Every structure is written in C-alpha cells, then in structure tokens.
Amino acid sequence: MSSVRRVIFGPNPRRTTVRILVLAVACIITFRWILLPVRADGDSMLPTYSTGKLTFVNRMAYLGSRPQRGDIVAIKLAGPHVVYIKRIVGLPGERLSVRDGQIYINEVPLAEPYVRHRKPWDLDEVTLGSSEYFVAGDNRGTSDRGRVEGSRILGRLVY
C-alpha cells in the first residue's frame, strides 16, 4: 500500500497535498468569480461564434472601465448560467435608430463589417438611458436585439 501512496503523492505527501489544495482553491476562484464558461447556442452570432463553441466570460473586464462599442458580452437573463451572447452597438446617452437594417448612431451610419445576413428592420429613434446599451447579434437574419441595462452585462467574452 505504501508504494501506491508513494506513486500517487510522491516522496513528500504533505507537500503534494498542499499543492493539490492550492490548485483546487485557485480553480474554484477562477471559474466561479473571474472566468465564467459559456457555450454558444443558436446562430445569432454567426460567423463569430457557432453553436456549441465553448468560450469564457471575463467577469473582471469592466471593473475599471465601461463596455465599449463592438465588445461581445454575456448578458444574464435568469442567473449567471443562462446568458445571451451579443455585441454592443449602442452606448449610454446615444441616439440610435435603424432603417432597412442599417444602424444609425446620432444620425451617422454605423460601420459593421462583422454583420452577416443583414435583415431589413426598422426602429424609430430612441435615446439610450445613462446605463443602457443597445445589443445585437452578428447574424441579423435571426438575431434578437434591443436595449439592456448595464447591470445585466456579466462581462466581455474571451476569444
């Protein structure tokens, strides 16, 4: 039995046990509060994220800054593990409208080279609140889009 223990724990079992505990605590902290694993489901973010792709949300990304236009973020719905993955296209305080699928920010068309399958849709001009963002998927043919409160943004996706 001692030879099996030596193979598993090495020549210094106490040191190995401490290393295992430190690694376990580091993993729990990392994957509970810093990096949240999410799996893309659906085609609203094609071609950037395809169904089944596993990625991580950096929950610390916005501690010292605010989300920026173009950031791909996770938005919590009914808890930290039920999330939408969307791209930020409108920032707080901006006037946003959509005509024939083209987004206008303060009456200037937004350049979006990442958009696929632009579906013609319209939205009358709205002014986003001081903590509101406008989000949309990259595949505008099937994507949900709309306003979201900044408090619902969990973090920025890590590629």
Side-chain angles (χ1 to χ4, degrees), residues 3-10 16 20:
S3 63
V4 172
R5 186 180 302 157
R6 186 171 177 90
V7 168
I8 294 173
F9 289 102
T16 302
I20 290 170

Side-chain angles (χ1 to χ4, degrees), residues 14-137:
R14 182 174 292 158
R15 186 176 185 184
T16 302
T17 303
V18 168
R19 286 180 176 173
I20 290 170
L21 290 174
V22 168
L23 182 60
V25 168
C27 287
I28 289 169
I29 290 170
T30 299
F31 293 109
R32 175 103 184 184
W33 291 289
I34 299 173
L35 293 177
L36 177 68
V38 294
R39 186 173 304 278
D41 185 24
D43 56 358
S44 71
M45 284 300 292
L46 284 174
T48 309
Y49 289 99
S50 57
T51 295
K53 181 175 181 181
L54 179 67
T55 187
F56 294 93
V57 177
N58 179 356
R59 297 182 75 169
M60 309 297 266
Y62 299 124
L63 286 181
S65 64
R66 296 177 72 168
Q68 299 297 311
R69 186 180 338 277
D71 287 356
I72 299 175
V73 296
I75 302 161
K76 67 180 169 183
L77 298 175
H81 297 287
V82 180
V83 299
Y84 273 146
I85 298 173
K86 299 293 176 197
R87 187 180 297 271
I88 294 178
V89 294
L91 302 174
E94 292 182 331
R95 290 179 297 121
L96 183 136
S97 63
V98 182
R99 295 187 293 263
D100 292 325
Q102 174 64 55
I103 296 177
Y104 291 84
I105 304 292
N106 301 325
E107 294 297 320
V108 177
L110 181 62
E112 298 180 288
Y114 43 79
V115 170
R116 298 292 183 265
H117 310 293
R118 192 179 299 272
K119 180 180 177 182
W121 56 289
D122 295 310
L123 175 68
D124 292 333
E125 186 174 282
V126 295
T127 300
L128 298 174
S130 63
S131 64
E132 281 186 319
Y133 294 85
F134 194 88
V135 297

